[in-house]
Amino acid sequence: MVHDRVNWRSKTRRAALALTVAALPFVYLDGASVYAQSIMRSPNLNIGSRIPSINPNIAGRTTPNLRTYPACSYAYRDSSGECSDKPVSSADGGGSGGSSGKNKNRNNNSGTLSKLPKTVLNSRTIAGEIVAEIDGSLSDAQADELARRHRLERIGSQNFPLIGATIGLFRIVDRRTVETVGRELAADGARSVQANFRYVLQDQQAASTEGDPAQYALLKLRLPQAHTLAHGANVTIAVIDSGIDIRHPELANAIAGSFDALGSKEGPHVHGTGIAGAIVSHARLMGSAPAARILAIRAFGVAPGGAESTSFVILKGLDYAAANGAQIVNMSFAGPKDALIERGIAATAAKGIVMVAAAGNAGPKSPPLYPAANANVIAVSATDAQDKLFAASNRGGHIAVAAPGVDIFLPAPDEKYQMTSGTSFSAAYVSGLAALMLERNPALNPGEVRAILMKTARDLGSPGRDDLFGAGEADAFAAVSAVVTAPAAPVAAVSGIPAAEKVEARQDVPSTSDLNPPGAAMASDKAAVREAHRPPRNNFSPDAWQK
């Protein structure tokens, strides 16, 4: 009996010692025990081995001091980001609405092909709404009279300096078609009459995976090496998206301005916060351009099929971005070809602003989605940790490059974090890469940025450019290195040869074909991310990287 009791005590001591040793990496990671008090326990949420950290020594373990969002699609999220037991609805595409039941409809369709929300497949437009260019000299009363003459209700109208036009948003109050109303308005002097098209954010629920991928995107993009050359300082990126939590620690001091194109009262949203985080995170996580500045433009609001926007609202966002110093515009959303938005994009490109867009999550059978398919936009498809194409990623001849977009670890509202997937986040990473390039050479034009990204990409899939990966997976270090040695004169200004043909291979740019396999470099590169390229937690200012 005594012997058994001694053995029991000995085993208990050994177990306690093992637990103490196992806990040490977590203490090192957090740096302050006070954060352990902010755990939010989500019902039915198993985060063991799904919440990564930058510390490579604790792969596969739960990080107890992270507050995470439960996994569900945006159709089941309310405006605060919490999961509901049925699709969230709201009046006029805004508001928070929805049931408060949690996690009853988490859809873990691992391996199935994701599609666009049903609202986009069945209705590419906002029912009964049109946008039209009207005479800018009309007063509100005169615009209302124009609407009444044509049995319309004027929802609003605005002058857009970006495209040099006044656009009116009208509602058809009877059963006439857009085509019929368009002809009638055109006969009364209106121009460019079209439907008010619908756009949706390009996120997807993450499929189940094993192990802890951590921020594998940093290694795939060679961001630790790129950050020895640039951090995106003095570069402004407009993020046209859903609401961004500008108070999140990952985004501290990174917001240069905010604009709500919806005029809504919705709170921050998981998608917009994640997109901003992929670009400028600089606390626990690391974004692709941690010293860049963000123009937070809310253009997407909660709707029955997920967060949505329209032609009229997106044009507001583009107009604000162009008027407030944006050098890059990130557009992680998709919709149909839209003459009004095409016009806005052409005007934005004419100002020398780089535009990056998500290829879309509608899968291999989808036609090209916009704005990614516009020739002035850098279209980005998504890859996973094994360099395979995200199953739901759109394909096409317009794809420029690919970037990680599966199981991406990002910030979420209220100091929480999320694991998510979609071409949205691939585009955000590439927007950050463009910022690194513009820090090195602010004179680069959009064509040169695209050409360098494609020339320095790491080839994936079939040899050469293809419709899945474009030129290949973006390589931040090779791209930024190429900019350093770029000629002082703009490439496009030399003869009539396209910019894509003018970016020559340079001997001092490390060959991406000589990269070490990701697994071999994992531990050392992660250590570099954690120690050499991450600023101290809670003590960061992007100004520290200003040159």
Side-chain angles (χ1 to χ4, degrees):
M1 180 69 70
V2 173
H3 180 72
D4 290 343
R5 184 176 302 168
V6 170
N7 285 342
W8 177 83
R9 288 177 178 171
S10 177
K11 290 178 180 178
T12 300
R13 291 193 185 101
R14 286 198 297 270
L17 179 60
L19 288 173
T20 301
V21 172
L24 286 176
F26 297 113
V27 174
Y28 172 79
L29 173 68
D30 190 83
S33 60
V34 65
Y35 285 90
Q37 305 303 312
S38 64
I39 299 172
M40 184 192 77
R41 299 185 181 277
S42 301
N44 302 321
L45 176 61
N46 179 9
I47 60 174
S49 80
R50 294 286 297 136
I51 304 303
S53 67
I54 301 176
N55 190 333
N57 298 318
I58 57 173
R61 297 180 184 175
T62 302
T63 305
N65 59 321
L66 292 187
R67 302 169 67 206
T68 62
Y69 271 94
C72 65
S73 67
Y74 282 106
Y76 291 87
R77 286 195 192 276
D78 61 24
S79 63
S80 67
E82 298 295 344
C83 293
S84 300
D85 58 358
K86 61 182 180 180
V88 176
S89 62
S90 58
D92 298 324
S96 58
S99 164
S100 60
K102 306 289 194 303
N103 296 336
K104 294 182 180 179
N105 281 283
R106 285 165 53 197
N107 181 15
N108 294 317
N109 293 326
S110 176
T112 61
L113 179 63
S114 302
K115 297 181 179 180
L116 280 174
K118 188 176 295 183
T119 51
V120 177
L121 294 175
N122 295 339
S123 176
R124 301 189 309 161
T125 64
I126 305 300
E129 289 188 7
I130 61 171
V131 285
E133 182 178 352
I134 61 176
D135 186 346
S137 66
L138 294 179
S139 66
D140 286 349
Q142 290 171 324
D144 287 336
E145 176 56 32
L146 172 68
R148 280 193 293 271
R149 285 201 305 271
H150 294 279
R151 289 171 287 162
L152 301 172
E153 176 187 350
R154 185 175 69 91
I155 300 172
S157 55
Q158 179 175 325
N159 176 259
F160 293 96
L162 176 64
I163 61 174
T166 297
I167 304 296
L169 174 61
F170 301 93
R171 180 178 291 116
I172 302 172
V173 297
D174 52 28
R175 295 181 178 276
R176 289 172 300 160
T177 65
V178 171
E179 291 74 20
T180 298
V181 174
R183 286 193 295 269
E184 294 173 357
L185 275 176
D188 201 2
R191 292 169 286 179
S192 305
V193 183
Q194 65 169 65
N196 194 20
F197 286 104
R198 186 192 309 271
Y199 290 82
V200 294
L201 300 173
Q202 295 301 289
D203 72 293
Q204 291 286 336
Q205 179 184 350
S208 296
T209 59
E210 295 181 359
D212 184 348
Q215 280 194 285
Y216 74 90
L218 303 182
L219 308 179
K220 291 291 185 181
L221 296 171
R222 295 213 291 174
L223 281 168
Q225 297 93 324
H227 287 167
T228 64
L229 302 175
H231 294 92
N234 302 313
V235 179
T236 301
I237 304 174
V239 174
I240 301 177
D241 214 281
S242 54
I244 296 172
D245 185 357
I246 63 176
R247 294 182 177 85
H248 198 291
E250 298 288 352
L251 312 181
N253 303 315
I255 307 301
S258 298
F259 172 60
D260 192 337
L262 294 172
S264 68
K265 295 182 180 179
E266 293 180 16
H269 194 266
V270 282
H271 191 277
T273 304
I275 293 299
I279 300 171
V280 296
S281 283
H282 52 256
R284 180 184 305 280
L285 307 182
M286 180 60 69
S288 54
R293 301 287 186 172
I294 295 291
L295 290 178
I297 302 174
R298 184 204 299 273
F300 285 77
V302 174
E308 293 181 357
S309 190
T310 67
S311 308
F312 189 71
V313 173
I314 288 173
L315 184 59
K316 284 186 180 181
L318 281 171
D319 190 72
Y320 177 87
N324 286 272
Q327 295 155 272
I328 301 166
V329 178
N330 185 87
M331 299 178 288
S332 290
F333 52 83
K337 190 171 185 177
D338 179 338
L340 184 62
I341 298 304
E342 294 281 285
R343 188 173 170 185
I345 287 174
T348 303
K351 291 179 175 293
I353 299 172
V354 176
M355 288 172 284
V356 181
N361 300 340
K365 296 183 179 180
S366 170
L369 296 177
Y370 290 80
N374 185 293
N376 290 309
V377 176
I378 298 172
V380 186
S381 61
T383 56
D384 63 16
Q386 287 73 46
D387 292 336
K388 295 179 180 179
L389 189 72
F390 179 39
S393 186
N394 274 45
R395 284 79 158 162
H398 60 289
I399 304 298
V401 292
V406 178
D407 286 345
I408 303 300
F409 190 39
L410 297 168
D414 302 323
E415 299 188 21
K416 301 176 186 176
Y417 291 82
Q418 58 177 312
M419 181 80 80
T420 189
S421 298
T423 56
S424 278
F425 311 106
S426 307
Y429 276 128
V430 171
S431 289
L433 266 57
L436 302 183
M437 297 165 67
L438 289 181
E439 179 190 337
R440 301 295 290 175
N441 184 354
L444 288 176
N445 65 41
E448 292 165 348
V449 171
R450 178 203 296 270
I452 293 172
L453 282 171
M454 295 181 68
K455 186 70 175 180
T456 58
R458 179 167 60 94
D459 192 25
L460 296 178
S462 302
R465 200 218 156 271
D466 58 62
D467 288 352
L468 279 67
F469 307 99
E473 186 166 71
D475 184 326
F477 182 51
V480 176
S481 298
V483 171
V484 171
T485 57
V491 174
V494 183
S495 78
I497 301 176
E501 299 178 15
K502 301 288 289 186
V503 181
E504 301 176 356
R506 296 174 173 83
Q507 298 301 316
D508 58 337
V509 179
S511 171
T512 55
S513 62
D514 296 332
L515 290 177
N516 293 325
M522 186 75 72
S524 61
D525 282 355
K526 283 187 178 179
V529 175
R530 188 178 68 251
E531 298 294 347
H533 304 294
R534 187 182 71 178
R537 289 193 61 211
N538 301 321
N539 188 31
F540 173 83
S541 170
D543 295 333
W545 277 324
Q546 305 288 328
K547 289 183 170 58

